[in-house]
Amino acid sequence: MNEGSIDDRVLLLRIAKQDQAAFSALYDRYARIVYAIALRSLRSVEESEEVVLDVFAQVWRIAERYDASKSRVDTWLFMLARSRVLDRLRKIQRRTPATGAVIDLAEIQLPAKGVDLMEAAELSEQQELVRSTLSQLPSEQRLVVELAYYNGLSHGDIAHQTGMALGTVKTRIRLGLNRLRRALEVSEA
């Protein structure tokens, strides 16, 4: 059976049994979007790659804990990614000395030695695709996705800040992420 046609939940069940082919299929499906989410917040290729590795290492370890009654697989993965991004942001803040001046790490970060220029160009294209896709989302979906994944707010915090019902926030995030995922899948084809 083609791994691309298997439901995400089935893949996670197989991953829980240490099925490497299922793990590879899930990785192929979601690694780019996890990377794009991380890159948008962290603005560092290396840190974003580490987030992808951390998320999928965690998936391998805890796949059996996934509960389909609580969330969809993509939502679960995006929450794992969000958690890892927030961890990295906190780590970066602790490493940055507390001075009167705030330095934007993205502005001073130089490409690492040995960086493949073709890869860097592809990453730049991916960033632009994510930005473009986000800008095409309906404003109410874009707002909640950005607040959740780029500002690190919980669903409850978003509901409180925007005055929306918690269920509305969750629905808009899910719809926005689904549109984003579909757009990125189409661009890969």
Side-chain angles (χ1 to χ4, degrees):
M1 179 184 290
N2 179 3
E3 299 291 341
S5 64
I6 297 176
D7 181 77
D8 291 344
R9 291 170 298 182
V10 173
L11 289 176
L12 269 181
L13 289 171
R14 288 175 45 193
I15 292 168
K17 296 175 183 170
Q18 306 295 290
D19 183 329
Q20 292 181 354
F23 180 77
S24 179
L26 191 74
Y27 181 90
D28 289 345
R29 241 177 241 182
Y30 290 104
R32 286 183 72 170
I33 187 71
V34 169
Y35 177 83
I37 289 169
L39 191 61
R40 170 83 188 250
S41 295
L42 298 171
R43 299 179 187 164
S44 163
V45 170
E46 292 82 10
E47 292 287 341
S48 300
E49 289 171 348
E50 287 294 323
V51 166
V52 172
L53 293 175
D54 290 349
V55 166
F56 284 95
Q58 186 174 9
V59 167
W60 184 254
R61 287 189 315 271
I62 67 166
E64 73 280 351
R65 294 188 207 160
Y66 168 72
D67 184 352
S69 68
K70 291 183 179 178
S71 69
R72 293 167 26 124
V73 172
D74 57 353
T75 303
W76 183 69
L77 284 170
F78 298 144
M79 291 307 295
L80 292 176
R82 177 178 171 268
S83 179
R84 296 293 71 78
V85 166
L86 291 175
D87 290 347
R88 295 246 172 220
L89 287 171
R90 286 185 202 107
K91 184 179 175 185
I92 289 168
Q93 287 174 347
R94 283 192 305 265
R95 285 191 312 221
T96 305
T99 63
V102 176
I103 299 172
D104 185 352
L105 296 175
E107 292 179 5
I108 62 170
Q109 189 173 25
L110 299 173
K113 291 182 181 178
V115 169
D116 182 350
L117 293 179
M118 291 301 288
E119 183 178 322
E122 183 179 321
L123 291 175
S124 177
E125 287 177 20
Q126 289 174 355
Q127 287 175 321
E128 184 54 39
L129 176 62
V130 170
R131 274 189 227 106
S132 171
T133 304
L134 276 170
S135 71
Q136 294 172 15
L137 290 177
S139 60
E140 63 275 0
Q141 290 175 12
R142 183 176 59 250
L143 172 66
V144 294
V145 167
E146 288 178 346
L147 288 173
Y149 292 96
Y150 304 131
N151 294 2
L153 298 181
S154 70
H155 294 164
D157 291 340
I158 295 169
H160 178 73
Q161 183 174 326
T162 62
M164 291 180 212
L166 182 59
T168 302
V169 169
K170 290 179 178 183
T171 298
R172 288 182 178 172
I173 288 173
R174 187 181 75 249
L175 292 171
L177 290 176
N178 283 338
R179 283 185 180 202
L180 184 61
R181 182 174 56 119
R182 282 192 305 270
L184 292 173
E185 286 173 351
V186 166
S187 73
E188 289 178 4

